[in-house]
Each structure stands twice: as C-alpha cells, then as structure tokens.
Amino acid sequence: MTDPSRPTTADAIAISNLRFAWGGRRRFGLAVDTFSVRRGETVFLFGESGSGKSTLLSLVCGVNKPASGQVEVDGTDLGALRGAARDRFRAERIGVIFQMFNLLPYASPLDNILLPLHFAPERRQRCGDPRAAALDLTDTLGLSRSLIEHAPAADLSVGQQQRVAVARALIGHPPLIIADEPTSALDAGAQSAFLDLLFERVQAFGATLVLVSHDARLATRFDREVSLSDIARTHREDAA
Ligand SMILES: Nc1ncnc2c1ncn2[C@@H]1O[C@H](COP(=O)(O)OP(=O)(O)OP(=O)(O)O)[C@@H](O)[C@H]1O
Ligand SMILES: [Mg+2]
C-alpha cells in the first residue's frame, strides 16, 4: 500500500478537474480544471467579493470536499484522507488564516495559538518550546503578553483577533500558508509588521504562500498574481 502522506509531485498545490457547489437556496458552483502552485512559490489571489476565493481556499485546506476532481497538497490527495486524517494533515502541514478568524471565543489567545499543535506532533516538535514560540510571534505582531495570556479571545478587538489568527497559522512553520484577507482589520503599522514577518518566515523555511486580498498594493511582494476568474468558472442558480 502506498503511503498517502508521501509527496509525489514538486507542487505544493495541484488541483485537477475540481467541481464544488454550495447547497442552500442560492446555489454557487465553482469549477477549476487545473491550477497548481510550486513549492516555495508566493501567490496573490484576487477577485470580486462573492466570486469564490474563500470557497476555493476551503477546498485547498480540506475544510470542504469537492463533489469531484482532485486537490493535492504536497502530493497528497485530500479526498483520499478520511475525517480525522484530513484534520491531522491540515494541522501538520497548513497554517490557515481564515477570513472570519475562527478563534475559540472563551479560550485565551495563547491557547488559541497553541491549538493546532495539539493535533500535530511533528509541528509541535518543530517549535521547540511552543509557549516561547507563540510569545515570540505575538511580540513581533505587537500583542502584549498580559492580553494574550489572560483575556478570552472574544474580548479582543477585531484587529487583535486577526493577529492572534496570524500567530496560530505561523506557529511551528507549516510548509503551506493559506491566508484569507489577513490584513483587512489591521492599521498600517500592524499590516507592515505582519507582512514583514510573513515573508521572512516564508523565505526562511521555504514555505508556500497563497494569500487573498482586495488590497492590490500588496501584490508586488508576490511571485505571481492570479485572478480567480482566470482559473475558475463559477455559476449561480436560484433554487425554486
Ligand atoms: N457557507 C456557505 N453556504 C452556502 N453558500 C455559501 C457559503 N459560503 C459562500 N457561499 C456562496 O459562495 C459564493 C462565494 O463566496 P466566497 O465566500 O467564496 O466569496 P469570496 O470571493 O471569498 O468573497 P469575499 O471577497 O467577499 O470574501 C457566495 O456568493 C455565496 O453565494
Ligand atoms: Mg472571502
């Protein structure tokens, strides 16, 4: 039997014949015939609001499953992994900054940052001392220690929560970083501190980065700019 976690291609992300549709009254469908991102590449993904960027990222992270086709991350077909195995694969390999952050509201920011490591022993090991690694990230992002150790995450401002989500994605150097509008709530200073940290980490560890933003000024820092409409076909249909 082949080991499903063994890389078989040089691509960090390889999508083929992907089809997906949300349920509900206003069905939105997304089709991507082929799209790939090389290991170590940085990609700026853009497109109109509602065009399907977050939907595509949810499929790359394995949060949603395609109706058909393949999404491979580091040579592993996410569709071949079942529930818990897919969650563990994501925790080990992918640092995700969700557009809505997805923090646990009653847990402290620090516990939120450390959370993926509970499901990812290799990533935890790469941290050395996880607490020190978390504090190093939050110091760089300008979050005070008393704030991240004591307040429930829900009590933080939106911009502070966004930086907690950033630290949670970067801890333990995941080889793939998926960032969905990670700077939307940050002021200019916090935004450049985050981008400097992000690119420094990406370069130091040879990580792959896919970042979605409406802020076209950020695009110049990336290897490649991709318009969602160039790689995906979408359709909408109103249920009767
Ligand atoms: N959880 C959901 N359930 C049902 N339909 C959804 C869901 N999330 C998104 N959609 C549908 O998918 C479409 C694309 O949404 P998506 O969030 O992927 O767009 P986006 O490009 O990320 O937009 P934005 O730039 O505003 O974040 C939406 O217009 C909506 O119709
Ligand atoms: Mg979105």
Side-chain angles (χ1 to χ4, degrees):
M1 209 171 102
T2 54
D3 175 357
S5 67
R6 228 177 113 191
T8 53
T9 74
D11 289 327
I13 300 170
I15 295 176
S16 54
N17 302 316
L18 170 68
R19 302 287 180 273
F20 175 80
W22 287 109
R25 288 184 60 78
R26 293 201 68 216
R27 287 176 142 271
F28 173 86
L30 181 80
V32 178
D33 292 336
T34 61
F35 176 63
S36 57
V37 177
R38 292 189 316 277
R39 289 208 186 121
E41 193 177 18
T42 58
V43 172
F44 182 86
L45 179 65
F46 64 97
E48 284 171 22
S49 180
S51 61
K53 303 179 298 296
S54 296
T55 302
L56 178 62
L57 295 188
S58 76
L59 292 156
V60 171
C61 297
V63 171
N64 283 306
K65 280 187 90 163
S68 61
Q70 284 193 320
V71 178
E72 289 187 4
V73 171
D74 265 346
T76 295
D77 178 6
L78 297 183
L81 300 175
R82 299 281 151 237
R86 202 167 65 240
D87 291 343
R88 167 147 182 220
F89 182 87
R90 184 186 321 115
E92 286 285 11
R93 308 286 191 95
I94 312 178
V96 191
I97 306 166
F98 294 98
Q99 190 167 18
M100 309 298 278
F101 315 148
N102 294 7
L103 301 179
L104 296 179
Y106 300 111
S108 73
L110 183 61
D111 287 339
N112 269 282
I113 294 165
L114 297 174
L115 192 68
L117 306 180
H118 292 300
F119 311 102
E122 290 162 26
R123 187 167 164 191
R124 186 186 180 89
Q125 212 162 31
R126 280 200 299 273
C127 283
D129 176 348
R131 191 170 181 281
L135 293 175
D136 187 38
L137 285 163
T138 51
D139 283 351
T140 307
L141 291 164
L143 295 167
S144 78
R145 293 200 173 190
S146 61
L147 185 81
I148 76 142
E149 286 185 272
H150 302 301
D155 286 2
L156 271 54
S157 77
V158 175
Q160 288 167 334
Q161 290 186 41
Q162 188 157 45
R163 282 175 281 167
V164 172
V166 164
R168 184 184 56 185
L170 295 182
I171 196 163
H173 318 303
L176 175 61
I177 297 166
I178 300 288
D180 197 351
E181 291 276 4
T183 61
S184 57
L186 303 184
D187 62 49
Q191 200 180 98
S192 73
F194 158 65
L195 288 169
D196 290 347
L197 173 69
L198 179 67
F199 278 92
E200 177 204 300
R201 290 293 178 102
V202 162
Q203 266 147 29
F205 296 96
T208 308
L209 170 66
V210 178
L211 183 144
V212 164
S213 177
H214 288 286
D215 187 349
R217 289 169 304 177
L218 307 184
T220 54
R221 297 179 77 141
F222 290 75
D223 295 330
R224 182 156 58 118
E225 290 174 49
V226 174
S227 165
L228 187 83
S229 58
D230 286 343
I231 61 166
R233 295 185 308 282
T234 59
H235 69 270
R236 259 172 234 283
E237 129 199 348
D238 286 309

